[in-house]
Amino acid sequence: MRIDIITIFPDYLAPLGLSLVGKARDQGLLDIRVHDLRDSTHDRHRTVDDEPYGGGPGMVMRPEPWGEALDAVLAQHPDPLLVIPTPSGMPFTQSLATQWSRRPGMVIACGRYEGIDARVADEYAGRAEVVPVSLGDYVLAGGEVAALAIVEAVTRLMPGVVGNEASVTDDSFAPGAMEGLVEGPVYTRPPEWRGHVVPDVLLSGDHGRIAAWRREQAERRTGAMRPELLEG
Ligand code: JDQ
């Protein structure tokens, strides 16, 4: 999979050299390229922002550097997907992560300030699948943290990136795992730690009782933490 990330803070993406993602890159399963948006500016101050039309606080990212950077990068994608993190986007879900893990690649445009001039998304909608996405209902300072989360969620689902297939498909939100429930508690050794014990049932070896107990725990926790998931 080929992933291009465009940002004014390339160093923010340094963690993509670590852990699972870093290993997948070393193995050649993943080709991640981080681009500095300022390399697509042509004024002496490498300006990427300007005042918002209509007034108001903050600054908006100018369309011209985005146009130059995206033209170059999208030309290298046979089936282009342009992901734009923004608080006003559609929720980024496990379902999107699964769909995107089956694609040849994606381009992630990381904005800063109050976001990117809206004409950039309009321009590329004719040439790419443009998807504005939100990680959740809170406001980050820019798209970089969202890009890290998206890359990690997508790439861990690629064949060969995680050795243990069951640990991927059994996740809380994986389609078909415990449909619509969050995961219950998990335990490892020792059987007692600082007076806290592992529930007896997990040591019983009775796989039927264990499965039933886990389901009940998942339902209990879903009701406590995510009651909206139990509607319907
Ligand atoms: C950008 C900002 C005020 C945007 C600039 C680019 N889920 C999620 N939360 N926040 C973001 C995504 C996000 C993504 C990209 C971003 C925030 N900002 C800051 C500030 C209005 C709009």
Side-chain angles (χ1 to χ4, degrees):
M1 180 181 289
R2 165 78 181 264
I3 301 178
D4 289 274
I5 303 172
I6 306 170
T7 170
I8 61 168
F9 294 121
D11 293 346
Y12 223 118
L13 285 304
L16 295 177
L18 304 175
S19 189
L20 229 72
V21 174
K23 208 160 291 172
R25 293 173 82 175
D26 293 342
Q27 291 174 342
L29 293 168
L30 251 186
D31 179 5
I32 301 182
R33 304 186 195 185
V34 179
H35 310 269
D36 188 340
L37 180 69
R38 290 193 199 277
D39 293 344
S40 298
T41 59
H42 298 285
D43 63 308
R44 106 173 5 260
H45 295 109
R46 310 224 295 166
T47 311
V48 294
D49 64 320
D50 202 342
E51 295 171 344
Y53 273 124
M59 299 292 270
V60 173
M61 295 193 101
R62 298 171 49 224
E64 301 97 323
W66 280 108
E68 182 173 316
L70 286 168
D71 284 349
V73 147
L74 284 168
Q76 301 176 52
H77 287 251
D79 177 17
L81 168 65
L82 175 57
V83 177
I84 309 178
T86 166
S88 58
M90 68 169 69
F92 178 67
T93 59
Q94 189 65 24
S95 170
L96 276 183
T98 301
Q99 292 170 241
W100 293 352
S101 73
R102 299 174 179 145
R103 296 186 61 119
M106 69 180 80
V107 176
I108 308 179
C110 299
R112 280 271 151 179
Y113 312 103
E114 308 297 305
I116 304 169
D117 186 300
R119 293 169 294 180
V120 172
D122 298 340
E123 163 72 9
Y124 290 98
R127 264 188 268 172
E129 186 179 340
V130 177
V131 187
V133 292
S134 167
L135 279 206
D137 291 338
Y138 41 81
V139 181
L140 302 169
E144 289 78 12
V145 164
L148 289 172
I150 292 163
V151 168
E152 189 162 296
V154 168
T155 59
R156 69 183 284 279
L157 299 175
M158 291 166 49
V161 170
V162 172
N164 185 351
E165 290 299 324
S167 83
V168 166
T169 50
D170 284 355
D171 287 336
S172 292
F173 294 102
M178 278 212 233
E179 199 71 67
L181 299 178
V182 301
E183 195 137 286
V186 296
Y187 302 89
T188 186
R189 288 180 288 191
E192 181 176 346
W193 176 74
R194 296 188 180 182
H196 304 270
V197 297
V198 174
D200 276 337
V201 59
L202 296 178
L203 310 177
S204 70
D206 183 336
H207 302 300
R209 274 185 67 222
I210 290 170
W213 181 86
R214 283 184 170 154
R215 163 130 214 129
E216 178 191 302
Q217 291 296 309
E219 285 166 357
R220 181 192 309 279
R221 186 176 279 187
T222 304
M225 301 290 182
R226 302 292 303 277
E228 79 280 9
L229 294 182
L230 295 179
E231 300 296 314

